[in-house]
Amino acid sequence: MITKYETEIDEYCDFCHKDIFYKKEWEKHKKDCFVKYYNYETDINLYPKFTFKEGKHIKSDRLVGIEIETIPSRKFGLKRTLFNLLSKDIGRGFDAGGIELKTPPLSGKSLEDLTKHTTKLLRRHNFTTSRQCGLHIHLDGKGFVKDRKIDFPKLANLASIYYLLEPYIFEKICPKRKGNCFCSPLTQYTNRERIKPVKDFFIKDITSDIAKASYSKYNNRIGFTINNLWYDPLPNIELRYHHGSIDSKEILNWIEFNVNIFDNVSLLYDRDRMLLDHIIDQLETKPEKTNFYLHKFLRVPLRVLNYYNKK
């Protein structure tokens, strides 16, 4: 006799975001979904379909996924509806009893709406953050990778920008994360002061099979993480700099800051490399003018820069 316990389960698929209630169904689903997830030749868009619409502030169609590390209250009363939208990963070591929520990759208005809805629910149910929590965002690698082939010279220019922006990021945006081993600066891995060797590092060293396989020269705890360009079905770059937050305004400002940098570095590399080289040179030699170059050439809105300058 087959018992109810043996037939009924409550599993959640991290890949396609579906609830599965029966054991037999789960085994088949797991097999089909996992094969599709790891087969890069098939359609990799396993997330809920949405029609792109510009948001109030986020105008880019670059997909962004968010990982929110947070701590539940003693009475864990979070609504099940939230987990129908997000995958869940409980107790991953960043904090005892912590929880990590992962949003599906979205852009524009859908991204803004889901971020506001999620943070509102978390605050309503008395979730908090601590110094051990982080906020990680995964930005679609489009423009830097095509057909799973990475454009390393272009990626090197993006990495150079972040290499030079890290002092700004750790001072004005994420001072709580400075020195945190889960968002190490690029300087720790390049161990150089000038920007040219940083580019060489990304063009030459990162392309080696050893670096890809073992993370011996570049691991997944660095603030600017590129491992997902190889291994994720939706190639992306993960930014781990930000401290934990359940404030939608803070999260969306951070997303807008980075999406504009990604979009405009890719655009400038394709259209005007001399200007991009000039920007990198000026960020290196005149760090006091960082706000000017962020706004004028990388199109980070003044509203976002003023938000960070007032903090």
Side-chain angles (χ1 to χ4, degrees):
M1 179 180 175
I2 299 175
T3 65
K4 182 179 180 182
Y5 175 77
E6 290 173 308
T7 58
E8 292 190 10
I9 57 172
D10 185 5
E11 290 286 357
Y12 185 84
C13 181
D14 283 336
F15 301 148
C16 66
H17 305 281
K18 286 183 181 175
D19 283 299
I20 309 294
F21 297 105
Y22 294 97
K23 201 173 219 176
K24 200 176 273 188
E25 185 184 345
W26 172 244
E27 291 304 319
K28 182 179 184 306
H29 177 86
K30 192 164 59 168
K31 182 181 176 184
D32 294 344
C33 193
F34 285 18
V35 168
K36 187 176 181 182
Y37 183 81
Y38 284 111
N39 183 358
Y40 298 134
E41 302 305 317
T42 62
D43 178 16
I44 59 173
N45 187 13
L46 303 173
Y47 298 97
K49 304 284 185 184
F50 72 99
T51 303
F52 172 72
K53 210 175 186 181
E54 285 189 357
K56 183 179 179 182
H57 298 305
I58 298 176
K59 310 298 183 184
S60 171
D61 64 351
R62 185 178 296 274
L63 295 170
V64 179
I66 312 169
E67 295 177 359
I68 302 173
E69 293 178 350
T70 181
I71 305 166
S73 63
R74 288 186 179 181
K75 293 181 179 179
F76 192 98
L78 193 62
K79 289 184 178 179
R80 178 70 183 173
T81 52
L82 182 63
F83 287 136
N84 289 335
L85 294 171
L86 312 173
S87 71
K88 55 188 182 298
D89 212 349
I90 300 176
R92 289 299 296 269
F94 67 87
D95 204 339
I99 184 171
E100 183 180 76
L101 302 178
K102 302 175 186 178
T103 71
L106 297 170
S107 61
K109 187 175 185 301
S110 298
L111 176 60
E112 289 184 359
D113 290 347
L114 182 60
T115 303
K116 290 173 184 175
H117 174 63
T118 302
T119 52
K120 184 177 179 182
L121 274 177
L122 289 171
R123 290 196 304 274
R124 184 186 300 165
H125 290 279
N126 301 315
F127 278 65
T128 58
T129 60
S130 75
R131 288 185 69 87
Q132 291 170 286
C133 297
L135 176 81
H136 308 155
I137 59 172
H138 292 253
L139 291 94
D140 181 5
K142 73 170 185 173
F144 302 95
V145 59
K146 187 176 181 182
D147 299 327
R148 306 214 67 82
K149 292 180 181 176
I150 300 170
D151 186 336
F152 280 99
K154 185 187 278 192
L155 179 63
N157 279 272
L158 181 67
S160 298
I161 295 283
Y162 276 90
Y163 173 89
L164 295 167
L165 286 178
E166 280 180 343
Y168 179 93
I169 289 170
F170 285 124
E171 180 188 344
K172 293 186 177 292
I173 302 176
C174 316
K176 298 175 187 175
R177 297 283 275 179
K178 193 172 184 179
N180 190 302
C181 65
F182 291 97
C183 58
S184 304
L186 283 164
T187 48
Q188 180 173 323
Y189 288 83
T190 56
N191 200 25
R192 308 283 178 86
E193 292 184 0
R194 300 295 294 177
I195 205 66
K196 185 180 181 303
V198 179
K199 289 189 179 184
D200 290 342
F201 175 80
F202 272 81
I203 295 170
K204 295 174 185 175
D205 294 354
I206 290 293
T207 57
S208 72
D209 290 335
I210 295 173
K212 287 190 286 184
S214 67
Y215 312 132
S216 60
K217 295 185 177 180
Y218 191 93
N219 74 30
N220 59 354
R221 288 184 173 181
I222 201 167
F224 181 90
T225 302
I226 62 170
N227 299 326
N228 293 326
L229 289 175
W230 285 287
Y231 302 120
D232 204 282
L234 180 66
N236 65 84
I237 296 170
E238 181 183 12
L239 300 181
R240 302 171 60 89
Y241 297 110
H242 207 282
H243 53 265
S245 177
I246 51 174
D247 179 338
S248 62
K249 185 176 181 181
E250 187 171 40
I251 295 171
L252 290 171
N253 273 321
W254 177 236
I255 291 171
E256 194 176 357
F257 178 88
N258 291 290
V259 162
N260 280 282
I261 292 173
F262 271 57
D263 285 352
N264 286 287
V265 168
S266 178
L267 190 68
L268 286 170
Y269 184 86
D270 293 336
R271 296 185 182 179
D272 195 342
R273 289 187 201 176
M274 286 184 64
L275 177 56
L276 183 57
D277 287 340
H278 173 70
I279 294 166
I280 291 172
D281 181 64
Q282 292 300 301
L283 285 173
E284 182 180 15
T285 56
K286 299 178 181 176
E288 69 278 5
K289 290 193 172 183
T290 295
N291 278 323
F292 171 78
Y293 286 98
L294 280 171
H295 175 62
K296 184 170 178 63
F297 297 111
L298 299 178
R299 307 298 181 191
V300 177
L302 277 176
R303 168 181 44 79
V304 174
L305 295 174
N306 289 335
Y307 173 81
Y308 290 128
N309 289 323
K310 288 176 183 176
K311 284 181 74 175

